[in-house]
Amino acid sequence: MQMQKINYQKKLEETIAKEQDGGRVPSLLLHSCCAPCSSYVLEYLSEYFRITVLYYNPNISPAKEYEARVAEQERLIGELPTKYPVSFLAGDYRPEAFYAAVKGLEDCPEGGERCTVCYEMRLREAAETAKKGGFDYFTTTLSISPLKDAERLNSIGARLAEECGVSYLYSDFKKKNGYKRSTELSAQYGLYRQDYCGCVFSKEEQARRRTGQDR
């Protein structure tokens, strides 16, 4: 018998409703992969949370690309109007940690086991930072992409929440036209939108797709 899929958008809405009934504004540590993906998420969640954006993405290559994405993230935070102020927290850029984590998985296709390891690496940093900083919740913008598996991301987040002792905010930001809205906001703010996920392996795979070549 096939298990019914969890509606993570509904779970998010239930959490928001519960917090609003409590009459307080909870704090959220939001891991962001890039400014375009965070645009809709910030517009949406800043109505209900005090957000700190954590930019921790050691997978991004090369360093120049990383710097460009960090700059766009900070610019968007400065320009996007929000109900509650949004803060920025820069994570360490240690690409060697990413390469060590995915060693042996270099040939995995995009979206496979290598990506799962990468998701967990970044979400773990978010969970540990949220716990250390006393945040009410942590989550990630990653689920806004149609190419990202929300079930996998939420499963990792829930497990790390239990392990680290901080609440995870379930989400599937691509729902309710979230991805479409992110493209609109990207155009509105003239955000730099890259054509690959971030790591050198995704960049190579994207290049092969363009030329119609296989590995």
Side-chain angles (χ1 to χ4, degrees), residues 87-152:
S87 304
F88 178 75
L89 179 61
D92 292 334
Y93 179 53
R94 295 184 295 111
E96 68 277 5
F98 166 72
Y99 291 118
V102 302
K103 187 174 177 59
L105 301 172
E106 294 87 350
D107 290 332
C108 287
E110 189 72 9
E113 181 61 24
R114 185 185 65 243
C115 292
T116 300
V117 171
C118 184
Y119 299 159
E120 174 149 2
M121 181 184 188
R122 290 183 281 172
L123 276 165
R124 179 175 294 280
E125 182 73 12
E128 291 176 350
T129 303
K131 176 65 176 178
K132 191 181 299 182
F135 287 83
D136 295 308
Y137 297 93
F138 77 98
T139 195
T140 179
T141 63
L142 284 165
S143 70
I144 199 167
S145 169
L147 301 176
K148 299 292 189 295
D149 182 353
E151 188 170 358
R152 196 185 331 175

Side-chain angles (χ1 to χ4, degrees), residues 2-28:
Q2 189 175 8
M3 291 182 65
Q4 187 175 2
K5 282 193 172 183
I6 297 172
N7 186 329
Y8 293 110
Q9 174 62 32
K10 184 178 179 182
K11 285 177 75 73
L12 171 58
E13 291 169 358
E14 288 171 351
T15 299
I16 289 172
K18 181 189 75 175
E19 292 291 355
Q20 286 191 301
D21 287 344
R24 72 188 190 104
V25 183
S27 58
L28 169 67

Side-chain angles (χ1 to χ4, degrees), residues 147-164:
L147 301 176
K148 299 292 189 295
D149 182 353
E151 188 170 358
R152 196 185 331 175
L153 289 164
N154 282 283
S155 176
I156 293 169
R159 176 166 47 78
L160 291 173
E162 188 170 345
E163 186 179 319
C164 297

Side-chain angles (χ1 to χ4, degrees), residues 3 25 31 34 74 82 84 92 107 127 139 147 149 154 170 184-185 193 200 205 211:
M3 291 182 65
V25 183
H31 165 263
C34 63
E74 292 191 89
T82 55
Y84 298 107
D92 292 334
D107 290 332
T139 195
L147 301 176
D149 182 353
N154 282 283
Y170 290 94
E184 293 170 352
L185 287 167
R193 290 183 70 90
V200 64
E205 188 166 320
T211 58

